[in-house]
Amino acid sequence: MPSANYTEARLATLYDALNPPGAHTEFYLGLPGPLPRRILDVGCGTGLLACELAARGHEVTGADPATAMLAVARHRPGGSRVRWIQADAAGLSVRTRFDLILMTGHVFQLLLDDEDVAGALRVLRRHLAPGGRIVLETRNPAAREWQFWTPAETRRRVSTPDGTAEIHYDIQSVAGDRVTYETWFRLPGGTSVVPDTLRFMSQAELAAFLNGAGLAAAAWYGDWDRSPAGPASPEIIAVGQADD
């Protein structure tokens, strides 16, 4: 079940301001190459990446389980060029076979249980065209990024049509590979506190799940500059291909 960060319309409209384009965007835009590709953006959110890929001539499908996020995506410039589907990774079922499947925005970390991870990867594997790739990201647990998710470190202010909103994060618990935190939204008219839990998976664990889904790791990156994954890398970015 998507959290209120994505399902409540007033919170979904803040997503782009809190997650602006950056080095990660350029990384993903550089993956397809110059030839038109069939691309699936899983957990597409507000559709910024999907629309940019479509503007570059690719045939793009954006999938997300959250109605509020898809509403933003459909109405953004270029939204009519993308096919939008309301579905999560495990529930996806379309006839198209894709050359490139993306899971961006650390959406992979929302898959908490082994069954959820394995099921999602199996479904995505079935939607790959011959020679296709799946690219996904997870924060490196060794970097312990959550240590900086404190109110003092994360407090931000963004403008909304109704006035200024203040947002910060606050860690609630760290249990094994699960980190639970709250997002505090102080909005004109009231405050919302939204809990979320993320799974921090090691490279070895992720490799095992990829192999179990019939995917071989063709490349591992540790950051958006395509530097190799290592113990100190902030990210674990996997490029998987069908092992047949």
Side-chain angles (χ1 to χ4, degrees):
M1 176 70 69
S3 80
N5 283 334
Y6 315 115
T7 58
E8 289 189 17
R10 64 175 184 158
L11 303 185
T13 58
L14 298 174
Y15 184 86
D16 286 349
L18 296 172
N19 300 275
H24 60 290
T25 312
E26 294 306 314
F27 171 88
Y28 283 109
L29 290 175
L31 288 175
L35 296 178
R37 304 290 185 186
R38 292 162 297 177
I39 301 175
L40 172 64
D41 185 358
V42 181
C44 64
T46 61
L48 186 152
L49 180 63
C51 288
E52 184 58 37
L53 288 166
R56 297 184 179 206
H58 302 292
E59 180 185 323
V60 182
T61 298
D64 200 284
T67 303
M69 299 292 268
L70 288 176
V72 176
R74 289 189 175 99
H75 290 94
R76 71 179 315 122
S80 61
R81 296 192 183 103
V82 178
R83 175 176 61 163
W84 305 106
I85 297 173
Q86 187 168 0
D88 60 13
L92 188 74
S93 180
V94 296
R95 293 185 177 182
T96 306
R97 296 299 175 260
F98 299 94
D99 305 305
L100 181 63
I101 296 177
L102 307 175
M103 294 186 75
T104 70
H106 300 106
V107 68
F108 183 75
Q109 291 186 252
L110 294 171
L111 302 173
L112 300 181
D113 298 325
D114 287 357
E115 295 80 6
D116 296 332
V117 175
L121 290 176
R122 283 195 303 268
V123 170
L124 297 182
R125 166 66 181 87
R126 290 200 299 269
H127 284 82
L128 271 185
R133 296 170 293 163
I134 293 177
V135 184
L136 57 87
E137 66 196 41
T138 181
R139 299 174 183 87
N140 185 359
R144 300 177 65 85
E145 182 182 320
W146 62 83
Q147 295 180 114
F148 304 101
W149 295 355
T150 66
E153 292 279 353
T154 61
R155 187 170 286 110
R156 299 176 60 186
R157 291 178 174 85
V158 297
S159 296
T160 77
D162 299 320
T164 300
E166 183 179 283
I167 297 95
H168 73 259
Y169 304 118
D170 197 6
I171 291 294
Q172 296 304 296
S173 66
V174 179
D177 62 0
R178 313 290 173 87
V179 175
T180 298
Y181 69 100
E182 292 177 338
T183 306
W184 285 68
F185 297 88
R186 289 189 171 87
L187 306 169
T191 297
S192 293
V193 182
V194 180
D196 257 321
T197 300
L198 301 177
R199 181 175 183 176
F200 283 73
M201 189 182 299
S202 70
Q203 182 176 339
E205 290 174 307
L206 179 51
F209 278 113
L210 291 172
N211 289 337
L215 295 161
W220 294 98
Y221 301 116
D223 210 342
W224 307 115
D225 60 3
R226 300 198 178 200
S227 55
S233 302
E235 302 285 343
I236 299 172
I237 305 165
V239 180
Q241 289 184 310
D243 57 12
D244 56 5

